[in-house]
PDB file of all heavy atoms in Angstrom:
ATOM      1  N   SER A 632     -11.938  -0.496 -10.120  1.00 96.00           N
ATOM      2  CA  SER A 632     -10.934   0.276  -9.388  1.00 96.00           C
ATOM      3  C   SER A 632     -10.076   1.077 -10.371  1.00 96.00           C
ATOM      4  O   SER A 632      -9.763   2.239 -10.124  1.00 96.00           O
ATOM      5  CB  SER A 632     -10.057  -0.646  -8.538  1.00 96.00           C
ATOM      6  OG  SER A 632      -9.578  -1.723  -9.308  1.00 96.00           O
ATOM      7  N   LEU A 637      -8.731   6.447 -12.655  1.00 97.00           N
ATOM      8  CA  LEU A 637      -8.532   7.355 -13.783  1.00 97.00           C
ATOM      9  C   LEU A 637      -9.550   8.496 -13.748  1.00 97.00           C
ATOM     10  O   LEU A 637      -9.202   9.674 -13.854  1.00 97.00           O
ATOM     11  CB  LEU A 637      -8.659   6.583 -15.114  1.00 97.00           C
ATOM     12  CG  LEU A 637      -7.523   5.603 -15.412  1.00 97.00           C
ATOM     13  CD1 LEU A 637      -7.919   4.658 -16.545  1.00 97.00           C
ATOM     14  CD2 LEU A 637      -6.244   6.350 -15.771  1.00 97.00           C
ATOM     15  N   GLY A 648       1.450  -0.021 -18.218  1.00 97.00           N
ATOM     16  CA  GLY A 648       1.953  -0.479 -16.923  1.00 97.00           C
ATOM     17  C   GLY A 648       2.837   0.512 -16.196  1.00 97.00           C
ATOM     18  O   GLY A 648       3.516   0.149 -15.237  1.00 97.00           O
ATOM     19  N   GLY A 675      10.852  -4.925  14.758  1.00 98.00           N
ATOM     20  CA  GLY A 675      12.303  -4.723  14.768  1.00 98.00           C
ATOM     21  C   GLY A 675      12.966  -4.672  13.417  1.00 98.00           C
ATOM     22  O   GLY A 675      14.177  -4.900  13.306  1.00 98.00           O
ATOM     23  N   GLU A 702      11.277 -10.504 -18.000  1.00 97.00           N
ATOM     24  CA  GLU A 702      10.752  -9.533 -17.023  1.00 97.00           C
ATOM     25  C   GLU A 702      11.829  -8.574 -16.515  1.00 97.00           C
ATOM     26  O   GLU A 702      11.528  -7.500 -16.020  1.00 97.00           O
ATOM     27  CB  GLU A 702      10.146 -10.262 -15.827  1.00 97.00           C
ATOM     28  CG  GLU A 702       8.666 -10.490 -15.976  1.00 97.00           C
ATOM     29  CD  GLU A 702       8.058 -11.062 -14.711  1.00 97.00           C
ATOM     30  OE1 GLU A 702       8.478 -10.682 -13.607  1.00 97.00           O
ATOM     31  OE2 GLU A 702       7.162 -11.905 -14.842  1.00 97.00           O
ATOM     32  N   GLU A 722      19.964 -10.098  -4.249  1.00 98.00           N
ATOM     33  CA  GLU A 722      21.399 -10.001  -4.533  1.00 98.00           C
ATOM     34  C   GLU A 722      22.001  -8.763  -3.866  1.00 98.00           C
ATOM     35  O   GLU A 722      23.048  -8.839  -3.214  1.00 98.00           O
ATOM     36  CB  GLU A 722      21.660  -9.936  -6.052  1.00 98.00           C
ATOM     37  CG  GLU A 722      21.539 -11.276  -6.768  1.00 98.00           C
ATOM     38  CD  GLU A 722      20.105 -11.643  -7.141  1.00 98.00           C
ATOM     39  OE1 GLU A 722      19.181 -10.873  -6.796  1.00 98.00           O
ATOM     40  OE2 GLU A 722      19.903 -12.700  -7.766  1.00 98.00           O
ATOM     41  N   GLY A 762       1.677  -3.660 -12.765  1.00 98.00           N
ATOM     42  CA  GLY A 762       2.416  -2.609 -13.445  1.00 98.00           C
ATOM     43  C   GLY A 762       3.769  -3.115 -13.913  1.00 98.00           C
ATOM     44  O   GLY A 762       4.220  -4.189 -13.508  1.00 98.00           O
ATOM     45  N   ASN A 786       6.709 -13.599  12.876  1.00 98.00           N
ATOM     46  CA  ASN A 786       6.513 -12.172  13.149  1.00 98.00           C
ATOM     47  C   ASN A 786       5.996 -11.434  11.918  1.00 98.00           C
ATOM     48  O   ASN A 786       5.155 -10.544  12.029  1.00 98.00           O
ATOM     49  CB  ASN A 786       7.828 -11.515  13.590  1.00 98.00           C
ATOM     50  CG  ASN A 786       8.169 -11.854  15.016  1.00 98.00           C
ATOM     51  OD1 ASN A 786       7.303 -12.266  15.791  1.00 98.00           O
ATOM     52  ND2 ASN A 786       9.441 -11.713  15.371  1.00 98.00           N
ATOM     53  N   PHE A 820      -0.650 -13.514   0.890  1.00 98.00           N
ATOM     54  CA  PHE A 820      -1.820 -12.838   1.435  1.00 98.00           C
ATOM     55  C   PHE A 820      -2.658 -12.395   0.251  1.00 98.00           C
ATOM     56  O   PHE A 820      -2.178 -11.648  -0.598  1.00 98.00           O
ATOM     57  CB  PHE A 820      -1.406 -11.670   2.321  1.00 98.00           C
ATOM     58  CG  PHE A 820      -0.835 -12.122   3.632  1.00 98.00           C
ATOM     59  CD1 PHE A 820       0.444 -12.653   3.708  1.00 98.00           C
ATOM     60  CD2 PHE A 820      -1.609 -12.062   4.791  1.00 98.00           C
ATOM     61  CE1 PHE A 820       0.956 -13.108   4.913  1.00 98.00           C
ATOM     62  CE2 PHE A 820      -1.103 -12.506   6.007  1.00 98.00           C
ATOM     63  CZ  PHE A 820       0.181 -13.037   6.071  1.00 98.00           C
ATOM     64  N   SER A 834     -10.963 -24.676   2.404  1.00 94.00           N
ATOM     65  CA  SER A 834     -11.955 -25.536   3.024  1.00 94.00           C
ATOM     66  C   SER A 834     -13.085 -24.671   3.581  1.00 94.00           C
ATOM     67  O   SER A 834     -12.833 -23.645   4.204  1.00 94.00           O
ATOM     68  CB  SER A 834     -11.296 -26.332   4.147  1.00 94.00           C
ATOM     69  OG  SER A 834     -12.228 -26.569   5.169  1.00 94.00           O
ATOM     70  N   THR A 835     -14.320 -25.105   3.344  1.00 92.00           N
ATOM     71  CA  THR A 835     -15.476 -24.313   3.781  1.00 92.00           C
ATOM     72  C   THR A 835     -15.556 -24.209   5.294  1.00 92.00           C
ATOM     73  O   THR A 835     -16.013 -23.205   5.823  1.00 92.00           O
ATOM     74  CB  THR A 835     -16.792 -24.932   3.257  1.00 92.00           C
ATOM     75  OG1 THR A 835     -16.741 -26.338   3.522  1.00 92.00           O
ATOM     76  CG2 THR A 835     -16.986 -24.670   1.792  1.00 92.00           C
ATOM     77  N   ASN A 884      28.468 -16.537  -1.339  1.00 98.00           N
ATOM     78  CA  ASN A 884      29.500 -16.683  -0.331  1.00 98.00           C
ATOM     79  C   ASN A 884      29.261 -15.816   0.903  1.00 98.00           C
ATOM     80  O   ASN A 884      30.191 -15.175   1.412  1.00 98.00           O
ATOM     81  CB  ASN A 884      30.846 -16.268  -0.935  1.00 98.00           C
ATOM     82  CG  ASN A 884      31.774 -17.449  -0.954  1.00 98.00           C
ATOM     83  OD1 ASN A 884      31.680 -18.328  -0.074  1.00 98.00           O
ATOM     84  ND2 ASN A 884      32.648 -17.485  -1.942  1.00 98.00           N
ATOM     85  N   LEU A 910      -3.368  -0.430  -2.760  1.00 98.00           N
ATOM     86  CA  LEU A 910      -4.275   0.694  -3.043  1.00 98.00           C
ATOM     87  C   LEU A 910      -5.394   0.225  -3.976  1.00 98.00           C
ATOM     88  O   LEU A 910      -6.580   0.446  -3.736  1.00 98.00           O
ATOM     89  CB  LEU A 910      -3.469   1.833  -3.679  1.00 98.00           C
ATOM     90  CG  LEU A 910      -4.183   3.103  -4.132  1.00 98.00           C
ATOM     91  CD1 LEU A 910      -3.193   4.258  -4.148  1.00 98.00           C
ATOM     92  CD2 LEU A 910      -4.820   2.974  -5.492  1.00 98.00           C
ATOM     93  N   ALA A 930      -7.743   6.587   3.498  1.00 98.00           N
ATOM     94  CA  ALA A 930      -8.399   7.618   2.680  1.00 98.00           C
ATOM     95  C   ALA A 930      -7.447   8.792   2.470  1.00 98.00           C
ATOM     96  O   ALA A 930      -6.687   9.146   3.376  1.00 98.00           O
ATOM     97  CB  ALA A 930      -9.666   8.103   3.382  1.00 98.00           C
ATOM     98  N   SER A 978     -21.036  15.075  -7.432  1.00 95.00           N
ATOM     99  CA  SER A 978     -20.615  13.821  -8.074  1.00 95.00           C
ATOM    100  C   SER A 978     -19.106  13.618  -7.942  1.00 95.00           C
ATOM    101  O   SER A 978     -18.646  12.490  -7.756  1.00 95.00           O
ATOM    102  CB  SER A 978     -21.104  13.714  -9.523  1.00 95.00           C
ATOM    103  OG  SER A 978     -20.544  14.743 -10.287  1.00 95.00           O
ATOM    104  N   GLY A 992     -24.414  24.642   2.494  1.00 97.00           N
ATOM    105  CA  GLY A 992     -25.287  25.237   1.479  1.00 97.00           C
ATOM    106  C   GLY A 992     -26.232  26.241   2.092  1.00 97.00           C
ATOM    107  O   GLY A 992     -25.902  26.909   3.069  1.00 97.00           O
TER     108      GLY A 992
END
Side-chain angles (χ1 to χ4, degrees):
S632 50
L637 290 166
E702 267 187 37
E722 283 84 357
N786 284 341
F820 287 75
S834 148
T835 47
N884 243 329
L910 177 156
S978 62

